[in-house]
Amino acid sequence: GNPDAPLKLTEYASHTCGACANFAVTGKAPLKEYIATGVVSFEQREVFLNTFDVVIASLAQCGPAGRMQTLSDEVWSNLSPVMQGIQGNPEGVQAAGQLDTTERFVQIGEVTVNVDFFAARGLSADQARTCLADTAKIEAMVEGSSAKAEEVGVQGTPTFTLNGSKLDENQWGGIEPILQRAGARQE
């Protein structure tokens, strides 16, 4: 949205979070209508609850600029099959977890079929493997994300802030009235 929007909504979300998936499915379309007015901007920030979140976020951020949000929403709208991929090979996940970090994320992406999931959405398997092998970038992403979430006091996902103030609501039905009271209107 408009970087100069007076209302800045930020979501702290995990890709393996069912409530985050619910917000993505039920709240993103109406939120886009507010963003289109130029009065509201939206930023998604990662929260890592587990290694799978790290793998999925790395893959979502690996694609072309501007596709991260779309790829994240694809994960959330397909959370059940994504979770089946994660839970479907516990032995493979356990073995991957024992590997050196330069191989660990790539192998977890493979055994959880996340590489295939993203390949079906335009991110080549080779590109996915390259991104998952970039441990320096992954470590920086995790470190930066953790610092921001701690600064805000994120206790669970999703957590939202409006202009830097933490909201008590975490679903669209509670967030929309807050946006409206702050001056956002659909046009």
Side-chain angles (χ1 to χ4, degrees):
N2 175 9
D4 297 323
L7 300 177
K8 296 178 182 355
L9 183 66
T10 304
E11 176 188 18
Y12 293 82
S14 154
H15 284 98
T16 58
C17 160
C20 300
N22 183 59
F23 176 78
V25 170
T26 63
K28 291 283 180 78
L31 176 58
K32 286 177 184 178
E33 294 177 25
Y34 285 91
I35 293 169
T37 68
V39 175
V40 177
S41 68
F42 177 73
E43 179 182 354
Q44 176 187 313
R45 294 188 180 167
E46 307 289 353
V47 175
F48 302 109
L49 303 178
N50 51 58
T51 303
F52 309 115
D53 283 329
V54 174
V55 168
I56 294 168
S58 297
L59 292 170
Q61 292 181 27
C62 184
R67 290 258 308 144
M68 189 277 272
Q69 186 67 56
T70 302
L71 291 171
S72 290
D73 288 345
E74 283 284 322
V75 170
W76 284 314
S77 63
N78 292 284
L79 189 59
S80 182
V82 168
M83 293 305 291
Q84 287 172 357
I86 289 171
Q87 297 165 348
N89 188 352
E91 297 84 14
V93 169
Q94 185 175 11
Q98 304 304 313
L99 297 172
D100 181 74
T101 55
T102 58
E103 300 174 54
R104 180 180 308 144
F105 297 120
V106 174
Q107 191 61 29
I108 289 172
E110 294 279 0
V111 301
T112 60
V113 299
N114 277 298
V115 169
D116 294 339
F117 178 87
F118 281 88
R121 286 149 183 85
L123 182 67
S124 77
D126 287 342
Q127 187 179 7
R129 288 182 196 101
T130 298
C131 288
L132 292 173
D134 189 347
T135 55
K137 184 175 180 180
I138 291 172
E139 288 170 3
M141 175 183 68
V142 170
E143 197 172 293
S145 171
S146 297
K148 287 180 183 178
E150 187 175 311
E151 181 182 306
V152 171
V154 172
Q155 299 283 320
T157 57
T159 294
F160 290 87
T161 63
L162 182 60
N163 293 343
S165 296
K166 190 172 161 185
L167 303 180
D168 290 332
E169 299 291 337
N170 72 355
Q171 291 302 314
W172 181 246
I175 292 170
E176 184 176 31
I178 293 170
L179 289 174
Q180 290 175 345
R181 285 192 298 275
R185 299 285 180 258
Q186 290 178 313
E187 291 183 7

